[in-house]
Amino acid sequence: MAAQVACNHMSAMLATRTLIRRSVPSSAARWASTAASRDKFKVLVIGAGSGGLSVANQIYYRFEAAGKPLNEGDIGILDAAEYHYYQPGWTLVGAGLKQKTDTRRPLASLIPSHLAHIPENVKSFSPTSSSVTTTSGRTIAYESLVVATGLQTNWSAIPGLQKALADPSSGVSSIYSYDTCDKVWHDIDALRSGKAIFTQPAGVLKCAGAPQKIMWMAWDQFRKTGRGDTISVDFYTGMPSMFSVKKYSDALNQLRIERGVSAEFQHNLVSVDSANAKATFKKADSTTVDVDYTLLHVSPPMGPLEAMKGAPIADAAGWIPVDKYTLRHTNPEFGNVWALGDCSNLPTSKTAAAVTAQAPVLTENLFSVVDTGKISEAKYDGYTSCPLLTGYGQLMLAEFKYDGVPKETFSRFFGDQTTPRLAFYHLKKDFFPWIYWQSMVKGTWFGASGPIRPKFH
C-alpha cells in the first residue's frame, strides 16, 4: 500500500513537469548517426550507466532551464554496451522476487534524441588536448568531459570461482552479474540441509550491503519453509564489522546474534574448490583456512576499469580523483574534467543512491564553470543510501553522508531507520525500480529532492 501511494504520488508529480522528454524516433536514425560521427562535443560523457545517463540528461536540461539551450547532439555519450542494467534489482532476482529480464533494457532505447550516442568504448585519454581515443582508434574532442565509467568486477581474482559459477550443480552463485543472479535463487530454493556461506571481500565493492542483503533473504526463506533447523547460515567478510557505519553495523550485528547467524570477520575469500565444496579464506594474519560449504554465495572483489589504470586523468590506483564536494578533477590543469559514481575516488559508498545526489551537484558546477568560469555553491555532502533487506517484508534503510554520519530521510515519520519496516521494503522492491526506469535514467530524479531539481543558492 505504501509503495502504491508513493508511486501514484510521484507519477502525478512527474506528469506535471514542464520538462520535455524526448525519445529517439525511428525517423531520426540518420540524424543520430550524423551527430554521433562528430569529432567534437561541447560535453562528452564516458559511460551510459546510472551516472552517465542521469548526468548527461541533467546537463542538457540545466542549460535549457537557464535559457541557454544546447543544440541536439552537443552532448555525446560514449558506450558500446548493448544493454543497460538496473543492478540493484539483481538482489531481488536472487531472492526470487523479480525476473532478471526485468533488470535490463537495450541501451539504445534509453538514449533520447538530444544526446548523441557513440557506440564505442574509450581506449585512452588526452586531457592536455581535451580529447579521447576510442577502441576503434577514433579521436573525439570535447570542451567538457564527464567520466562515469563505473568499475569492473574481478571474477578471475578468485581461482576456481568462474568454473564454479558456470557449473549449474556447484552450489556457487552471485548476485553481482546478470548471468548469475538467477542461479542464486535456484540454489537457495533447492537447498534442503547443510552449510550456507555468504562472503564479502575486503576493499571496494558496489553496494557494500548487498552481500548480507541476500544472506538475510536466504535466512528468512529457509525459516519460512521449515529448513531453518537443517541449514546453518554463516557470514564470512573481509571487513572488520558488519557495516561501515557504526549505527547500522551495531544494529545488524545484534540482528545476526538474535538470528543465530555466525560471522567471521577479516576473512577474505581467496579461492574456491567446487569439486570438493571447499572455500579458502585469508585471515588478517595472512594465514588461510579451508571451510566446507553446501551453498556458497560469492561477492567478488572489484576495482577500476583496465582503461583507467595508468590513464593521465586517474590516480595511481585507477580511480578518477575529484574534489569530494564539487566533483571537479583535482588537477587544476584538467579543470574541464569531471567524474561521478563508481569510477571516482569519492570517499563514500558506491551506490545508485549516491549518484542521485552527485549528478545535480556535478551538473550545477559544470554549468556554472561553462557559463561564468567559476564553480557554483553546489556541494556534495557524501550522501548515499543502502536499503538493507533483512527478510521478506522488512528492510533497514541506511542513509548516511561523509564520515559515516547518518542522514535519514524518513526518521521524522517512522523513527529510527535501523528498525526494519514494511514500507522501506516496498521502496526497494517496487518504488525504486519503477522510479529508476521512469525518471532517474532520464535525468529527472534528484534523490531526496524527488523530481524537483535542487537549488544551491
Side-chain angles (χ1 to χ4, degrees), residues 94-96 184-196 198 217-233 259 294-295 392:
V184 177
W185 174 245
H186 173 272
D187 289 353
I188 290 172
D189 190 48
L191 188 64
R192 292 295 176 266
S193 63
K195 188 171 186 176
F198 296 80
M217 298 302 279
W219 178 90
D220 199 25
Q221 179 67 8
F222 299 150
R223 180 184 64 86
K224 288 180 181 296
T225 54
R227 293 174 281 164
D229 293 334
T230 59
I231 301 173
S232 66
V233 176
R259 291 181 171 182
T294 314
L295 179 153
Y392 293 87

Side-chain angles (χ1 to χ4, degrees), residues 170-191:
S170 68
V172 180
S173 61
S174 178
I175 58 168
Y176 276 98
S177 85
Y178 181 83
D179 292 334
T180 63
C181 60
D182 52 346
K183 189 185 182 189
V184 177
W185 174 245
H186 173 272
D187 289 353
I188 290 172
D189 190 48
L191 188 64

Side-chain angles (χ1 to χ4, degrees), residues 42-47 51-52 55-56 59 75-78 125 142-149 313 320 327 336-340 343 362-363 366:
K42 288 188 177 297
V43 181
L44 181 63
V45 179
I46 310 295
V55 79
I59 291 168
I75 300 176
I77 189 160
L78 186 73
F125 297 84
Y142 56 82
E143 293 179 16
S144 297
L145 178 72
V146 178
V147 186
T149 54
I313 63 168
I320 310 301
L327 283 76
N336 62 341
V337 177
W338 311 77
L340 79 165
C343 70
L362 188 157
T363 296
L366 185 152

Side-chain angles (χ1 to χ4, degrees), residues 389-405:
L389 288 161
T390 54
Y392 293 87
Q394 53 179 284
L395 183 143
M396 181 188 301
L397 186 57
E399 295 182 286
F400 50 97
K401 56 184 180 178
Y402 284 138
D403 301 318
V405 177

Side-chain angles (χ1 to χ4, degrees), residues 125 307-321 329 334:
F125 297 84
M308 296 301 170
K309 297 176 182 178
I313 63 168
D315 61 19
W319 306 112
I320 310 301
H329 203 286
F334 306 155

Side-chain angles (χ1 to χ4, degrees), residues 343-371:
C343 70
S344 73
N345 72 338
L346 291 168
T348 190
S349 293
K350 299 181 182 297
T351 68
V355 167
T356 66
Q358 293 164 15
V361 172
L362 188 157
T363 296
E364 189 67 22
N365 283 321
L366 185 152
F367 169 77
S368 182
V369 168
V370 171
D371 189 46

